Amino acid sequence: MLVLLLLLSGCMTVPISSIPKLMRLDFLTMNFEHVRVGLQLPAYLSLRSGDAVMIARSRTDGLEGETVYTYTLVEDTDAAALAGFRPEKRMGTAATVWRIKPEDVAGLAELQERVRRSRIQGPRIRGSTEIKILKACLTGAFPAGPIYSSTYIKPAENEDYIPASIDNDLVKLFGPTEIRSLIRQCEN
C-alpha cells in the first residue's frame, strides 16, 4: 500500500497542486480513526451510510490474483469535522464529511500490520486504496446535463483536506445509462 489514491470509480481530475501531497500519503502510518473524506455533490444528491466505501486492493509478490477489502463509510456529523471541511463554495452544492465505519477501523489496522510485516519478512504486499461512491439518491427530476462531484481527503487529525478530484462529471465518468442505475429517487 504505497500510496493512498482517491478515486471516484475511475479516472478523475486531480488538481496538480494535490499530486505531491497525495503521493506523500503513507497507508502504513495513517490512523484511519482520524481519516476523513469530504464530498461536495449537487444539493439534489444525497448519500446514506454504505453508499460510499473505501476499497483496499492488494497483491502479494509472486502470487496470482488480487485481494479486495471493502470498508463502509459513514457520515460524520460532528460539528468540528464539518467546520474543518471548507471546500470552495459552488452554487447548488452541498458538502458532507465521511469516515471509516468505526467497526471497520480495526480491519484496516490489521491490513496495515500485514503489509508492514511483508516488508520485513516477505513476500511483499503492494496495493492501492480508493474511495468509491456506489450509489446516491436524487430529489427532484434527473438533471439533463453534467453531475459534478469533488472529493477531498483529510489524512490525519491535525492536517487539512487535500483536494483529490475536483468537478468530476459523473455522467461522463459512468455513462448516461449507468449513472441512472446508480442514482435512484430518494424515499421520503
Side-chain angles (χ1 to χ4, degrees):
M1 304 290 169
L2 299 174
V3 178
L4 180 73
L5 298 175
L6 289 179
L7 303 174
L8 191 59
S9 303
C11 299
M12 62 182 189
T13 308
V14 178
I16 291 174
S17 62
S18 295
I19 292 173
K21 295 173 188 172
L22 292 170
M23 295 297 292
R24 283 192 296 269
L25 295 181
D26 183 1
F27 175 84
L28 297 180
T29 61
M30 296 178 95
N31 179 344
F32 285 97
E33 219 174 298
H34 300 292
V35 171
R36 296 295 182 269
V37 174
L39 297 175
Q40 188 174 40
L41 299 168
Y44 55 79
L45 288 182
S46 62
L47 303 177
R48 294 181 294 187
S49 291
D51 286 355
V53 295
M54 175 182 280
I55 300 172
R57 300 175 189 280
S58 69
R59 292 182 180 274
T60 303
D61 288 353
L63 298 177
E64 292 289 321
E66 174 181 74
T67 304
V68 178
Y69 307 90
T70 303
Y71 304 99
T72 301
L73 295 180
V74 295
E75 190 168 4
D76 188 344
T77 56
D78 179 66
L82 295 171
F85 181 45
R86 295 177 302 277
E88 180 181 324
K89 296 213 185 274
R90 290 185 169 81
M91 187 184 326
T93 64
T96 55
V97 174
W98 298 79
R99 64 178 296 176
I100 304 295
K101 185 177 178 180
E103 302 88 87
D104 286 350
V105 171
L108 272 161
E110 289 172 20
L111 179 57
Q112 286 173 306
E113 185 54 35
R114 282 197 305 270
V115 174
R116 278 189 210 99
R117 278 195 315 269
S118 81
R119 287 184 165 185
I120 297 165
Q121 301 168 353
R124 189 152 182 183
I125 298 172
R126 304 172 191 275
S128 64
T129 306
E130 67 185 83
I131 301 298
K132 185 173 184 178
I133 296 176
L134 301 174
K135 58 188 171 183
C137 78
L138 165 78
T139 55
F142 202 91
I147 301 172
Y148 292 111
S149 72
S150 298
T151 307
Y152 302 76
I153 183 166
K154 181 179 168 71
E157 186 175 25
N158 297 320
E159 292 190 36
D160 292 329
Y161 283 87
I162 302 168
S165 67
I166 302 296
D167 292 338
N168 280 323
D169 180 0
L170 298 178
V171 176
K172 192 180 276 186
L173 188 64
F174 290 105
T177 304
E178 180 72 13
I179 194 68
R180 286 183 174 272
S181 69
L182 297 174
I183 298 176
R184 66 203 177 283
Q185 198 67 37
C186 292
E187 298 172 7
N188 294 335

